[in-house]
Amino acid sequence: MQGISDEKIDYVFMEINPSLVLKIKNKKVLEVGCLNDDCLNIYNDIKVIEKNIDDTINDIYNLTKDKGFD
């Protein structure tokens, strides 16, 4: 993903339902934060810590799709 720094911490907001924010450093996920109740409902199924950002976005998209979110 272009524009993500290797030296500082970046935040990626995923404005899908469920909504969440990813804390990124060195193109790897450090933390996931929920921005709505639907995210809280699937939070325990989100397994992306230490994954790269591209794989994380795909994993979260597929998880939300599998859980019936549109």
Side-chain angles (χ1 to χ4, degrees):
M1 177 174 260
Q2 254 183 1
I4 293 181
S5 171
D6 286 341
E7 297 176 8
K8 64 181 181 171
I9 292 177
D10 292 295
Y11 294 89
V12 174
F13 290 85
M14 293 187 67
E15 290 297 325
I16 60 173
N17 192 35
S19 294
L20 52 99
V21 60
L22 305 170
K23 185 176 179 181
I24 310 292
K25 185 172 183 178
N26 297 327
K27 300 181 184 173
K28 301 262 186 204
V29 176
L30 298 177
E31 294 178 20
V32 176
C34 289
L35 300 175
N36 65 7
D37 289 340
D38 287 334
C39 179
L40 292 172
N41 290 331
I42 66 163
Y43 181 80
N44 290 330
D45 296 322
I46 301 172
K47 308 288 188 215
V48 296
I49 303 302
E50 293 298 319
K51 283 192 175 184
N52 74 50
I53 185 63
D54 293 328
D55 290 340
T56 295
I57 290 171
N58 287 332
D59 289 353
I60 290 173
Y61 174 77
N62 289 325
L63 174 64
T64 59
K65 188 176 172 184
D66 291 345
K67 294 287 185 176
F69 292 98
D70 192 11

